[in-house]
């Protein structure tokens, strides 16, 4: 496995692999890898592609009071995990390599970025789409793999690829969870033991919501209020949002029908966790 720090290096390697008939798969990450990231690699390897993993903590997607400076970083640890999963190249640029001058050009995301995490983290998705578009240009992949835990991000990137005519297939991979049900996240390391235990309410509340729907409940307001009540009554978690939207375009729903996304974000102390569930065929 090769670790590249420069855009020119990764471009040259990709050029050589493509000349040898290989397709190129990109797995974009911010590092501090967990099994969720490695599952993206496993899916990419199934296609026989040459796998490039980017590890870059992107300053553009962090707000002024967010955790950019303390976001966990450990390249040596990540390299061991990536090599074990079969990654061919890690692209690990410095901030100065990706943003050598003050950025004047950004990719705006439109209405898909106005709700959910976009509403509570202004500018976040502009930072995501800008860096992802830069990574797409640097690596020029045939496929790019994203986890469904960040469902809104997946939809936004898929729309960007369509709107800007990137010749890339965006592939979503289901949420990977720990044995007790907590969705894997690099931010889980911030949780105290008590917060870690309390955070299990996220999946429990989503599972119960699905059961309410299966029993016939179709009111978005009723379901979201029940989820909020469960979280606030059982834990010290501070609800950022609980929302029910169309899983296809994030449009607001008052009555559940079609493909439905139940999404939530909750803070445990200073750690903000997200989770979701997609319900089909309602």
């Amino acid at each position: 496995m090769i670790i590249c720090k420069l855009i020119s290096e990764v471009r040259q390697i990709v050029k050589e692999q493509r000349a040898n008939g290989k397709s190129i798969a990109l797995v974009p990450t911010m590092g501090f890898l967990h099994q969720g990231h490695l599952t993206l690699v496993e899916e990419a390897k199934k296609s026989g592609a040459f796998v490039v993993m980017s590890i870059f903590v992107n300053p553009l997607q962090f707000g002024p009071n967010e955790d950019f400076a303390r976001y966990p970083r450990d390249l040596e640890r990540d390299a061991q995990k990536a090599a074990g999963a079969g990654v061919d190249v890690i692209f690990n640029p410095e901030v100065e390599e990706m943003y050598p001058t003050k950025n004047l050009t950004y990719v705006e995301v439109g209405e898909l970025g106005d709700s959910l995490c976009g509403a509570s983290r202004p500018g976040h998705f502009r930072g995501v789409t800008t860096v992802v578009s830069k990574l797409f240009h640097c690596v020029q992949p045939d496929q790019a793999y994203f986890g469904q835990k960040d469902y809104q991000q997946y939809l936004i990137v898929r729309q960007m690829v369509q709107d800007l005519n990137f010749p890339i297939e965006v592939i979503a991979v289901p949420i990977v969870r720990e044995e007790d049900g907590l969705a894997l996240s690099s931010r889980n390391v911030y949780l105290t033991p008590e917060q870690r235990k309390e955070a299990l309410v996220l999946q429990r509340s989503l599972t119960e919501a699905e059961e309410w729907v299966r029993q016939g409940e179709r009111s978005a307001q009723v379901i979201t209020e029940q989820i909020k009540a469960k979280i606030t009554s059982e834990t010290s978690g501070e609800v950022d949002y609980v929302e029910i939207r169309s899983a296809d375009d994030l449009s607001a729903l008052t009555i559940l029908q079609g493909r439905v996304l139940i999404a939530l974000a909750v803070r445990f102390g200073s750690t903000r966790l997200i989770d979701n569930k997609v319900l089909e065929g309602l």
Side-chain angles (χ1 to χ4, degrees):
M1 187 184 72
I2 302 169
I3 299 178
C4 294
K5 306 294 286 188
L6 301 178
I7 295 170
S8 58
E9 292 175 334
V10 74
R11 279 181 170 166
Q12 182 59 36
I13 291 170
V14 166
K15 181 179 179 181
E16 293 169 359
Q17 292 298 320
R18 201 180 294 285
N20 291 332
K22 280 284 191 178
S23 64
I24 309 300
L26 174 65
V27 178
T29 82
M30 293 205 300
F32 213 73
L33 304 180
H34 51 65
Q35 187 56 46
H37 299 115
L38 303 182
T39 299
L40 301 179
V41 176
E42 292 167 8
E43 290 300 311
K45 296 295 287 186
K46 288 178 183 178
S47 70
F50 182 85
V51 178
V52 179
M53 172 183 280
S54 62
I55 296 178
F56 179 64
V57 184
N58 173 39
L60 291 192
Q61 66 194 71
F62 288 81
N65 298 314
E66 294 184 337
D67 57 353
F68 173 73
R70 73 182 187 112
Y71 194 87
R73 298 163 170 87
D74 190 336
L75 183 60
E76 183 177 349
R77 170 189 176 277
D78 287 347
Q80 291 177 349
K81 288 182 175 291
V87 170
D88 296 296
V89 172
I90 287 178
F91 178 43
N92 176 232
E94 299 294 335
V95 171
E96 294 75 18
E97 176 71 3
M98 292 297 285
Y99 305 110
T101 60
K102 179 182 178 181
N103 235 56
L104 298 179
T105 304
Y106 299 89
V107 178
E108 297 287 353
V109 302
E111 61 193 45
L112 281 178
D114 292 340
S115 62
L116 305 176
C117 288
S120 57
R121 302 181 69 190
H124 169 70
F125 286 118
R126 183 177 81 156
V128 169
T129 48
T130 298
V131 78
V132 169
S133 67
K134 288 172 75 73
L135 290 170
F136 284 174
H137 284 302
C138 294
V139 178
Q140 299 181 347
D142 299 288
Q143 305 95 27
Y145 290 78
F146 292 83
Q148 287 191 1
K149 182 173 73 70
D150 298 286
Y151 189 87
Q152 184 177 19
Q153 173 179 273
Y154 156 68
L155 282 189
I156 286 171
V157 171
R158 188 182 68 176
Q159 187 69 41
M160 179 186 76
V161 163
Q162 175 182 313
D163 291 346
L164 300 184
N165 302 107
F166 282 99
I168 298 169
E169 181 184 7
V170 178
I171 298 170
V173 177
I175 296 172
V176 179
R177 300 182 180 276
E178 299 192 35
E179 286 188 9
D180 58 9
L182 184 65
L184 285 167
S185 169
S186 299
R187 289 185 168 91
N188 289 350
V189 298
Y190 298 152
L191 298 169
T192 66
E194 182 61 30
Q195 290 168 347
R196 173 68 178 70
K197 185 184 300 184
E198 287 190 334
L200 299 179
V201 75
L202 302 185
Q203 192 205 24
R204 287 203 309 271
S205 62
L206 290 169
T207 300
E208 288 187 13
E210 180 178 20
E211 183 60 27
W212 299 328
V213 174
R214 298 305 176 198
Q215 292 175 1
E217 181 60 68
R218 290 293 184 273
S219 168
Q221 182 177 356
V222 168
I223 294 170
T224 56
E225 290 303 322
Q226 287 176 315
I227 293 174
K228 290 176 186 177
K230 180 177 181 66
I231 294 170
T232 56
S233 66
E234 295 184 10
T235 75
S236 63
E238 180 184 343
V239 175
D240 184 347
Y241 67 76
V242 177
E243 295 195 37
I244 295 178
R245 291 182 172 264
S246 164
D248 296 321
D249 60 11
L250 299 186
S251 56
L253 297 176
T254 54
I255 301 298
L256 277 65
Q257 57 185 356
R259 295 182 68 246
V260 170
L261 172 72
I262 308 176
L264 49 78
V266 179
R267 290 186 184 277
F268 296 92
S270 61
T271 304
R272 181 179 181 276
L273 300 181
I274 61 173
D275 206 341
N276 69 74
K277 183 177 283 290
V278 176
L279 305 181
E280 305 275 356
L282 299 183

